[in-house]
Amino acid sequence: MSETRFGAGTSRAEALKLLVERFRRSELDDPSREARLTLCAAANLPQAALIAEPDSLLGGAAARLEEYAVRRLSGEPLSKIVGRREFWGLALSISPDVLDPRPETETIVEAAVALFAGRRQERLCVLDLGVGSGALLCALLREFLNARGLGVDISAAAAEVARRNTLACDLDGRAEIRVGSWTDGVVGPFDLIVSNPPYVRTSEVDSLAREVRHFDPRLALDGGIDGLDAYRAIFPQAARLLAPDGWLLVEIDAGQAGAVLAIAAKAGFLERSTHRDLAGRERVVAARSLRTALGQRNHERDNRHERVIAPD
Ligand code: GLN
């Protein structure tokens, strides 16, 4: 596959035809679509340009197209090849050091917007554990205009990407990115804590699609023997750091809902629910500690106690 098939004199239409043929002989699912996207990315064109001006020549884009084609054929996602990915309408930079943000992760943003519908203007404090590219933090700070956010990642390289994205989204005045393990050294309270932690069972990481297993960092995928290690760490720590009416929202894999809801209950979260993604799969567990409600109950119990002893 190393011979150059595209030249400066190849037209867009010819290039597309050649690319579809090469992609068709590969494992790629939708060769026509992949070919269109790859060509547009390499030649820096909107898709409409392929139809409007099919006879224009590739020119200087030919060598880049060849490189992109070879990389895509090896399974590298186009987002990683170009180093860009759209999430919640934001154009984010990505690198081999961060999980490629997935559309289903937007379920966390949707859930947060719904749960904080009446509090959009407040100066909310947001914490993103395992911030990765910064996708969630950037999307949330874009939705909650007076919020401030802290993103933590154990990978310094990932934190660097997140920092770059908060700058590019003009959020640097409201966002801080730190390197660390979960909540080590983090001081609350936070109104909203989010995380898309690693949750794939160790034994299953090697059977993920090659786009994922070869090109997403293992650190962002491997959730331990049963895939639940991160939740066991995050829930008790979040319970301590949340404001009384604050929410913790975590992404889960379909099938983990029951186990993660149980971890939430064990960590003392009184209100627990799941949210589904666009494919209808349970994708997010939301939990509120409701220390207010608990405090209220304790208060009532103490008062009752007082009342009981008062007449004596
Ligand atoms: N959703 C990812 C996958 O494709 C896993 C991401 C994660 O572990 N947070 O399997």
Side-chain angles (χ1 to χ4, degrees), residues 99 102 104 196-200 208 212 220-222 251 283:
L99 188 83
R102 320 270 205 263
E104 58 267 29
N196 174 17
Y199 55 65
V200 180
L208 295 171
V212 181
L221 297 170
D222 189 343
E251 179 169 322
R283 180 59 65 189

Side-chain angles (χ1 to χ4, degrees), residues 247 260-262 264-266 268-274 285-288:
W247 284 98
V260 176
L261 287 168
K266 192 162 168 236
F269 287 89
L270 298 179
E271 194 172 333
R272 305 174 293 273
S273 58
T274 60
V285 166
R288 178 146 67 159

Side-chain angles (χ1 to χ4, degrees), residues 217-247:
R218 204 179 174 97
L219 196 58
L221 297 170
D222 189 343
I225 290 176
D226 61 0
L228 301 170
D229 283 359
Y231 304 113
R232 287 192 202 92
I234 289 171
F235 275 81
Q237 296 178 32
R240 283 196 302 275
L241 287 175
L242 275 173
D245 53 353
W247 284 98

